[in-house]
């Protein structure tokens, strides 16, 4: 989708600092980090949100989830981390391309804001 920021990042129309990439997913540093480590993991396929997932996305989502720990290890998050998905209006999702925030290198708080 040409009007989607993350599709444009996937297509390299917008630069990003990648930490992992293959044919199905991309992980790159967030522009406005909320923790010392703040990376976004996205499927390269445009899926607007968690709520828009279809049964045919099952394998892709499982693949992405299993990559989280590899990326976390690569980034030195051996003491733990938080994985966040903001979905829809109440979830405060701002970019309408499914993404997971991987946050680490600080102690998180609960409940989230
Ligand atoms: P959301 O609020 O939708 O869960 O998260 C969107 C995230 O994308 C935000 O943390 C924001 O900082 C990040 N973001 C928005 N535009 C860009 C961009 O052009 N490049 C990068 N690297 N991150 C972006
Ligand atoms: Zn997109």
């Amino acid at each position: 989708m040409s009007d989607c920021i993350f599709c444009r990042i996937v297509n390299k129309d917008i630069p990003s600092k990648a930490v992992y990439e293959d044919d199905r997913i991309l992980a790159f540093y967030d522009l406005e980090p909320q923790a010392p480590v703040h990376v976004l993991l996205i499927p390269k396929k445009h899926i607007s949100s968690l709520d828009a997932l279809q049964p045919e996305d099952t394998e892709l989502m499982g693949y992405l989830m299993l990559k989280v720990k590899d990326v976390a290890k690569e980034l030195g998050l051996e003491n733990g981390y938080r994985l966040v998905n903001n979905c829809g209006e109440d979830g405060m999702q701002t970019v309408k391309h499914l993404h997971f925030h991987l946050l680490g290198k600080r102690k998180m708080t609960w409940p989230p804001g």
Side-chain angles (χ1 to χ4, degrees), residues 29-76:
Y29 285 99
D30 196 291
L31 208 56
E32 292 180 45
Q34 303 300 317
V37 170
H38 186 173
V39 162
L40 302 171
L41 290 105
I42 68 170
K44 288 190 168 179
K45 175 186 176 185
H46 181 87
I47 300 169
S48 60
S49 79
L50 203 61
D51 209 42
L53 284 172
Q54 299 297 315
E56 61 263 29
D57 299 317
T58 302
E59 208 273 331
L60 174 61
M61 285 299 101
Y63 180 77
L64 190 153
M65 281 299 123
L66 280 170
K67 280 290 174 202
V68 171
K69 65 182 171 67
D70 296 344
V71 172
K73 190 169 186 189
E74 181 71 27
L75 295 170

Side-chain angles (χ1 to χ4, degrees), residues 5-6 9 28-32 38 40 86 92-95 99 101:
I5 293 174
F6 288 176
I9 285 176
F28 57 99
Y29 285 99
D30 196 291
L31 208 56
E32 292 180 45
H38 186 173
L40 302 171
N86 297 325
M92 293 293 281
Q93 181 180 2
T94 59
V95 177
H99 54 279
H101 300 255

